[in-house]
Each structure stands twice: as structure tokens, then as C-alpha cells.
Amino acid sequence: VQLVESGGGLVQVGESLRLSCAASGFTFSSYEMRWVRQAPGKGLEWVSKINIYGRTLYADSVKGRFTISRDNAKKKLYLQMNSLKTEDTAVYYCATVLDVGAVRGQGTQVTVSS
């Protein structure tokens, strides 16, 4: 089982980034997928999730700015992040809960500079 995030980087306030997560080792289409983040010195924060039917939910802090999506054929999860703020600076992880337990990738750094 592996989750590999990519797409992070350094951007200015108001700019956009698109994160990707490549999944392998499990039946991607059968599991709800999530994005979580960890800001410097803080704990993990749930950002968004998408279920197997494509239904999405967002944390209030990102609602209206971030869009989660999935491509089951490619076994990929995405997070489109628009209107980025300095408080969005964090390591972003894709995650899921499988029958064997919780799984998370290694993360991708997003830094938003003013």
C-alpha cells in the first residue's frame, strides 16, 4: 500500500496549486480518500474528503477555495487549492482508512508567502 503526494511548492498569497496523490496496493475506487495537513508546530488538521460516490466535504477553513476530486481509473486523488492564504502553509498528506488501518503518504510541502 502506497500513497505518494506531489505538486506542493512556494506560492504567493492568492495564487493556486494543484496537489496530486498516486495510490497503489489497494482497490482505490472502494475507499473514501482524504486530505489532511500539518502546519508548523501544530497537529494534523482534516482538510477535505471524498467518498466512493464522489460526495465531498470540506473544512470550514478551506470551503469555497479548495476542491477535492478523484480519478479512479488513474488511482489518483487531487486537491485544487485556489486563493491561497498564509495560513494554508503546511505539509499536505493524502490519507485513507483501509481494513488494515489508517494509511498516509509522506506529504508535500505547501508554503504560501505574503
Side-chain angles (χ1 to χ4, degrees):
V1 175
Q2 195 171 22
L3 297 171
V4 180
E5 302 92 339
S6 60
L10 172 64
V11 296
Q12 300 292 315
V13 168
E15 293 184 340
S16 299
L17 276 175
R18 189 193 194 207
L19 305 183
S20 298
C21 172
S24 61
F26 65 102
T27 308
F28 179 77
S29 59
S30 297
Y31 291 91
E32 177 181 280
M33 296 298 298
R34 306 167 184 176
W35 286 99
V36 298
R37 66 186 181 185
Q38 187 166 26
K42 297 187 177 181
L44 279 175
E45 176 190 17
W46 171 75
V47 174
S48 180
K49 63 180 180 180
I50 182 167
N51 70 10
I52 62 173
Y53 306 108
R55 181 179 177 182
T56 60
L57 284 174
Y58 299 92
D60 287 344
S61 58
V62 307
K63 198 173 297 182
R65 300 187 298 120
F66 290 11
T67 302
I68 189 172
S69 61
R70 65 192 298 164
D71 185 329
N72 289 335
K74 295 182 178 179
K75 297 185 178 180
K76 284 198 168 183
L77 179 72
Y78 303 101
L79 186 67
Q80 177 67 43
M81 305 187 296
N82 298 331
S83 303
L84 283 161
K85 305 176 180 180
T86 55
E87 51 263 44
D88 295 318
T89 294
V91 178
Y92 284 72
Y93 303 91
C94 68
T96 189
V97 180
L98 304 179
D99 298 340
V100 295
V103 180
R104 196 174 76 198
Q106 85 291 343
T108 186
Q109 176 71 47
V110 172
T111 303
V112 185
S113 173
S114 58

